[in-house]
Structures are given as structure tokens and as C-alpha cells.
Amino acid sequence: MRAHTVSPLFVGRADELAVLGDALARARSGSASTVFVGGEAGVGKTRLVREFTERSDGALVLVGGCLELGTDGLPFAPFTAVLRKLARDLGHDGVAALLPGGATRGLARLLPEFGEPEREGAEARARLFEQVLGLLERLAETRPTILVIEDAHWADRSTRDLLSFLVRYQRSDVPLLTLVTYRADELHRTHPLRPLLAELSRVDWVTRLDLRRLSRREVDQQAASILDGEPVADLDLVYARSEGNPLFVEALLSGGEGETLPDSLRDLLLASVERLPEETQELMRLAAAGGARIEHTMLSAVAGADDGELSRLLRPAVAGNVLLVDGETYAFRHALIREAVHDDLLPGERTRLHTRFAEALEGNPGILPAPRSAIELAHHWHAAHNPLWALISAWHAAAAARKTAAYDEQLRMLTRVLELWEAVPDAAERIEADHVDVLRQAVTVAHLAGEFERGISLAKAALREIDTATDPIRAARLLRQRGLVRYDLGRAGFLEDLRTAVSLVPAEPPTSLRAQVLENLSRMLSDPADWAEKESLAEEAMRIAREAGNADIEAHALVTLTWARCRYSRMEEQVVAFAEARKIASRASTYHALMRAVISESDALEGAGWHERAAEVARGGIADAEAYGLARTSGAFLAINLVEPLVSLGRWDEASEVVERGLEVTPPAPYRASLEALAADIALARGELGRADALFRSSRAVFARGTYRDQTILPQLRREIELLVARGRDDEASALVERTLDEQDLEGSPRYVWPLLLTCLRVVAPSPSPLPRLRAVAERLGPVEGELQRAHSLTFTAEAAQAEGVPDRGAWEAAAAAWAALRQPYAEARALLGAARAAVAAGERDEAAPGLSRAAELAARVGAPPLAAEIGSLARRARIPLSGEPVPAEPAAERAGLGLTAREHEVLGLVATGRSNREIAGELFISAKTVSVHVSNILAKLGASSRGEAAATAHRLRLFER
């Protein structure tokens, strides 16, 4: 006779416990970790996790399970369970204390106890995700935390999205261990968890743990523990039938003496239920229709039994280990048992039981917390095959899903409404919305869910049902929605949709819809030829929005208008306009418009050279983003806008700190890549070539996977050229310059073209020189816009003269003055060095001294050793004292003492041995033309008139003595 249903001894999982123990140890040491625990049903995933967490030595354990509803999961179910436990243990104030600004309304989307959710919008979901992650991270900072997500194979898309967000974007230094269990045998080829597992498995801190079946020896140990050591006559048969699956071993050993072993797995799982009293079996069938877990109050209401009667009926199931008690909830010992019981129901029986659940929820929606009540009601009416109430409940469930920002589930419910429409003749009256209204709402939700193709199809279907002549407003709404989806999908036709939408909405009376479509169209116009129309549309949108009393659209329209009018030479006007847009957005609490204004203003200020003001605006925006709970998205984007002006201002240490903080929150890949690219600029200027190269490669890997605009592409090309030059790979740099001139549009974005042109000018290039082509590009850019572009243009003039071999001291001094006015010390120092070189070349050593000293001070202040070395080299060669130093003695044999690049130093060494240009080219694997250019530069820098004189100088200075 059996002594236990489940083995008291935990058998055969020492290795798996060690893997989880190592993961927890890493988390405790400040290295977040995630483990996906997979295995077939019944193999012991839940038991493993429970045994592990019971041995976790003081860690906070938070457990949430995914709940199956038919073929779909309940949105955010595991996270709602975790949040409910925290609210119960810590209280509302305790949870609030762990959130930025104590704001909990974002969490109200998961738990209504936290109040009414904030306004819906594109950022609602992002904020919810960030708040959940921020809450977990702050919990882990107070105490090592283990988050357990069970049965991920049942996870709905919203749960999968949030899980992916948590794993990807968790801070790496937080003691947080995430354990996720799933049934590996459920993951068929098209199962949505499969691609997520494959994707997350590539994350450094993610581990996959696959549970094997038990060996014959381990099954013997399990059986002995279950039976308290009593012998098992047919243990060979038990092992053969169970194949080492612990659940099946338990089921096979659970029968009484003389019972034969069941023939099928279903019969095996049902055996424990069939031994219960008939009235308890009936209650188990009812419970099975309610899901793997069911609340006591819910079961009581559906069964129509009071607490005493229900307890009497349930007691045999609990004693027989068919049901487990978890607080106020009952759960089948294993989901396979519930599935077997539910599958064993007759069709009529299944319909009747699901109808009882639906009627209980209709009679008392408060039995379950919102929004779960509405979603489960829709599930039960659908399972009961009642078209009318399935349609009505699906419509209400869609509204409940919207409140939780579960857009995929909302779309699924709306799709169900559309599927059932023909089966319910008075559907429109029942839900107070016609077929087109449902389609239009589905278009919006498909857009939010990222189902762009679906959104376009739904919009087309809705437009086919509308006569634009008699119903122009709804047609305009649908055309606007389709236009926005097409734009995000990169599909042609979005401008035509928006223009048609504008034409369908009357100008009088002023309405929010007309303001909205005008603003949308204005924002999408990007061709310079459309700039006048863009400005006109934005003006009209702003006026109408103000008259209609819609502050959100007014703020967006003002941002769009300000960008349309943005001239770097008239920034005072733009600053006033951006400030007004931020004021309007703040007053109306329209976060998206506020962030657009801050991001746009800080970017425009930097483009104009107003670096201090740009940094101030970006820093304020970061604080707003953190307070709103969007540090990883909006905050990370603004970190980029803060680093840029800090780099310009020469505050590189501060910029590096901002980059480090931005990367710590694990922002989206494009934001991370932009921060790394800016960090590469700093590393290059500091001579940290290894670090610069690693950062550049990391950012390039991200940018290579998408389509990006000039503001990303052109700076990346500049960095790559500068890295090649710094590595002495001049031929490759020259070839990249040529490809850039051939392939890139270098006229549309002067702000990003000018720095690229300057870098191209500094490349040692073989004949023919790219200088004429570079000059032509500069001329096509037209009049400069703003002081920053003016400084670049002046520097281009000086660099071009230098490249032609006629250094122009005046041009360099004009550039230096422009950079000084902009408070850009690094650029000023480079220009001052150019002016000093020109002065020395003209024999004006005394005139060169003040500028060279200033350049040395600036290079030291920003921390740019390569530039400082160039300045020191010229000072020693020209015997110019720097900042009160004595006049330098005749230079000794110093590798960097002549202002030569690494490649020029190599070439000079070979010239000194008497090698010809062709021989040097063969030695260094470069072209003879490139060698000729290097030799010309060497002669100019040494003040030598011939190769022999240059060689003599090298020998006199003992540059190549070993």
C-alpha cells in the first residue's frame, strides 16, 4: 500500500540544483541572471524550482504562473500575481516607495488597487514595462530576489513581451535571478515561445537548463521514498511504463493493491480522480472547466455550495493529492491532471459547465479582480458556444485588455467580435457600435501591437464598407490610421492617405480630427521641396487645435511647426517656440508631446552650437523621463542628446559618465549603439584606439541591421575614417573617402556633412586627390546656417589650403576664433595648432607661440594626449616655450617629436635607409603614390628640401637608433 503520493526525497537533480545555485551566487555577487528551465510535462520543473527556492538562504522569492484560457493565456497573469503578493506584503505605500516619485498609477493597469490607470497612449505600455522592471530592480537592491515565472508555454503575447523586456533590459549589476519554466514538449514548430527562447538565449546572462528524465536507479529511489521502503514487485514495469517521468511514476504507484496498471496516459492521470467519491469527481470536472487554478469564492459560486458544503466535497480531493491548496486558491497537483479531466468531458457537459462559469461571472463580476473577470467571462462564453454572449463579452474584454495595455489580447478579442458578427443579427445594437467601428478600433490596436500588415488589411476592409461621400469623417479617420501604419511599415502611399484624409475633414467648424490629420501630414513631409507646405499645415493644425481645445495636438503641432521653421541662425525664436510647446504639453500632461518637444529642442540647440543650453534641456528631459518611469526609452534617447553637447564642450569625463549611466539601464539597441558611438569619439580623441575600435564595432553591428538617417550614417563614416587613419591604414581610409563621395547624398544634412568633409580632408590620399570633389560638395551645401556650420566652413577652408601645400595662418586663426566663441576647446586647439604650423612654416616663430601655448592648455584640459603630443612636437621642433616653460633644447631622438603620424614615421625610417618609393610601397603594402604623398608631408614637417636632407635630419636626431 502506498505511503505517500509524492516522494519526500528529492531525487536525481543534484546537477540541476548546482546550476541554479551558481546562477543565484552570480546574482548575489551583483550580476543579474536568467535561467530558462525546460522539460516535458511531469518531469519535475515545478518541484525543482520549489526545492531550490526553499534553499535560497534569505532571498526574496516572487512566484507567478501563466494561466491557460482555452488556447490563449491570461494577459500579464504571472506579473499580476507577483504584484498582488507585493501589495499584500508591503502595502500600497511600501510599493510606492520603490517607484520613482512614488507614482503607482502605471501599475494600476495590472492591479486596480493602485487606482485608475493614467491616460492611454503609445507610451502607456512602455511605462508599464519600465515600472515593473524598476520595481523588481529596487527590490533586488534591498535583498537578493528570485522571480519565478511558471508555465511560460501558456504565456500570452503581452506576458512574453514583458518577460523579454525584463530579461533584456535589466541592469547587469542587480542581484536579481529570474527563473522561467516551460514545457519543452509543447513547443511545436510554430509555437510563439520558440523564437523568444532562441532570441533570449543569445543574451550573455541567460542560461538554458533542460530537465532530463530519471534514470532507472533514480526511479528506484523515488519509488522507495514514496512507499517508505516497501518492495515493489513490478518496478521493472513501472520504469518501462513511466520511462523515467517522475509524475508518471507517482501515478503508477498511486493505485491500491491488486489494481492493474492503466493502458493509456489519460487513464493513468484520471485514475487518482476516479478513486474519489462521485460527488467530488463531479466537482473536479467543474473545477477543470475553470482552469489550472481557481479561487475558493469562484468555485463556491459556480458550484452553488456554501463554504461548509464545498469544503466537505473538496476534502477527499485534497487528501488524495489531486488538488493543492494555495491560500484562497485551489490548483490541480499537475496541469496534466486538469487537462485529462477536462478532455474527458462530453461535449454537452463542457458547454454546460462553461455556461455555469459565465453565468456566475455575469451575476457577480467582482468574484475575480478586473480585468481578469472580463477576459475569463469572454473565454467561458466562447467555450460555451453561445455566439451572442461570446460576442458581447469579447467586446467588453477588448476594453479591459486596452486598460492593461495588452494590445495583442485586445486585437484577439476584437477579431473574435468580427468573426462572430454574422452569427448575431443585432450585433451593432448589442455593443452600440457598428461593423466599421469595430474594424477601425482593430486597425488602431493592430498598429499599437506592431501588426502593421494586419492593420492595413483591416483598414482596407473598413474603407470598402464606407461611402466617403456620405460618411467622410469616418473615412478620414481610417485613411489617417492607414497612413500612419503605412509610414511605420515603410510602405508607399502614406502621404496620399493623409492628404485624402485632410480633404475629407471640413475646415469648419474647427475639430480635433482636422487638427490631427493636418499635424500628421505636416510631420511626415520631409522633402525640402515640401517645406513651405509643411510649415503652412503645422500652422493651421496648431490654430485649429487651440480653437478645439486639444492641448495634446496643439503641442505636437507647435513642435512640428518649430522644426519646419528651424533655422540655426535664428535660434532665439525656436527656443521660445519649443518652451511654449513644453509648457502646453506639461499643462495637459501629454507626455509624448512633452518628450518630442524636449528631444527636438535639445537636438536643435546642439545643431546651432548652443551647447550649454542643449545640455541643460536634455538633462531636464532625462529627469522628467525618469520620474515618469521611462528611463530606458525616452531617458536613454535624451542621454544621447546630453552626451553630444558635453563632448562639444570638452567635458569628456562628464560625457563618459552619462554614457556609462545610459548603458547601465540597458537601453534599446539603437540607443545603446548611439551612446557607444559617441564614447568611441572620446576614446579616439584620447588615443585609446583599442577601446575606440571596440565601441565602433559594437555600434556598427547594430546600425548594420536597420535603415538609418544621415544623423547616424554620416557620423559613423567619419568615425570609421578617423579610426583607419589613426591605425595608419591610409589606403583603406582613402578608399572609404572615395566610396563615401560616390555613394552618399552629401547635400541634405549640412550639420552632419561638414564634420565628415573635414575628416576626409585629413586623409593622406594618392593622386588624384579627392580635394576638388570635397570642395564641390562644400560649395553645393550653400550658405552656412548658424555659427556651428560657420566654424566648420572656416576650418574646411584652412584644411583645404593646408592640403594644397599653402598653409594659411589667417584662415586657421579665423577658425580658432569661431570655435572659441562656441566654447569647443578641442576644435579650437586643433585650429590653433594649424595656425601655429602655418606661422612656423612662414618663419614667424614668435607669432606662433601664444596660440600654441593656448592650444597646449586646451589639450591638457580636455585630456587629449595625441593632440597634446602634436602640439609638444611642434613646440620642440620650433623651440617655442609652452606656458612659461624654458625654450626647448634641440630635440633628441623622440619617436613623436616631429609631429609625424605613425605611418610617416615608418616611411621616414625607410627613406633614411635609402629605399625608393617603390621599395617602401612593397615593404609597407601600400601604393607608391601613397608613399609619395607621405614623403611630401615628411619634407614639409621637417622643413627639408629633399629626401637626402630628411634622411640626414633623422640620422642627426638619432631617431632610428636601436
Side-chain angles (χ1 to χ4, degrees), residues 676-730:
E676 288 175 334
L678 290 167
D681 286 339
I682 298 173
L684 261 171
R686 285 178 164 167
E688 300 166 352
L689 298 188
R691 173 173 165 76
D693 189 61
L695 288 164
F696 172 76
R697 288 178 183 276
S698 179
S699 64
R700 183 174 62 181
V702 174
F703 293 141
R705 295 196 294 265
T707 302
Y708 295 90
R709 293 184 295 172
D710 288 351
Q711 65 190 64
T712 299
I713 295 170
L714 301 185
Q716 278 293 92
L717 285 169
R718 171 185 57 75
R719 289 181 192 103
E720 186 171 4
I721 294 169
E722 289 177 358
L723 267 169
L724 290 170
V725 170
R727 293 288 193 188
R729 294 156 61 182
D730 300 304

Side-chain angles (χ1 to χ4, degrees), residues 1 50 115 213 558 593 679 742:
M1 202 70 178
R50 185 174 70 247
R213 295 175 178 178
L558 182 51
D742 290 339

Side-chain angles (χ1 to χ4, degrees), residues 119 516 545 549-557 584-585 588 590-594:
R119 59 183 299 160
Q516 191 174 43
N550 193 315
D552 183 26
I553 298 174
E554 182 185 357
H556 276 295
I584 294 169
T590 56
Y591 178 80
H592 186 222
L594 176 63

Side-chain angles (χ1 to χ4, degrees), residues 447-521:
H447 192 189
L448 290 169
E451 298 284 350
F452 297 152
E453 293 284 6
R454 182 84 182 282
I456 291 174
S457 297
L458 289 164
K460 287 180 179 178
L463 286 165
R464 282 195 297 267
E465 296 185 23
I466 291 180
D467 181 352
T468 56
T470 59
D471 199 355
I473 298 302
R474 285 208 296 180
R477 292 185 189 278
L478 281 161
L479 286 164
R480 171 187 170 270
Q481 288 173 308
R482 189 175 69 177
L484 296 179
V485 178
R486 279 176 163 171
Y487 176 81
D488 284 344
L489 189 60
R491 186 73 56 80
F494 63 90
L495 286 178
E496 290 79 1
D497 279 348
L498 292 172
R499 289 188 189 282
T500 305
V502 168
S503 70
L504 290 173
V505 183
E508 295 295 335
T511 60
S512 292
L513 177 60
R514 180 164 179 82
Q516 191 174 43
V517 293
L518 287 167
E519 193 281 323
N520 291 158
L521 176 57

Side-chain angles (χ1 to χ4, degrees), residues 512 515-516 519 538-539 541-562 577 580-582 584-585 587-588 590 593 596:
S512 292
Q516 191 174 43
E519 193 281 323
E539 278 184 323
M542 190 174 70
R543 175 184 60 78
I544 294 174
R546 185 179 297 124
E547 292 176 3
N550 193 315
D552 183 26
I553 298 174
E554 182 185 357
H556 276 295
L558 182 51
V559 173
T560 302
L561 176 61
T562 306
E580 179 63 19
R582 284 191 283 120
I584 294 169
R587 188 168 60 237
T590 56
R596 250 195 95 211

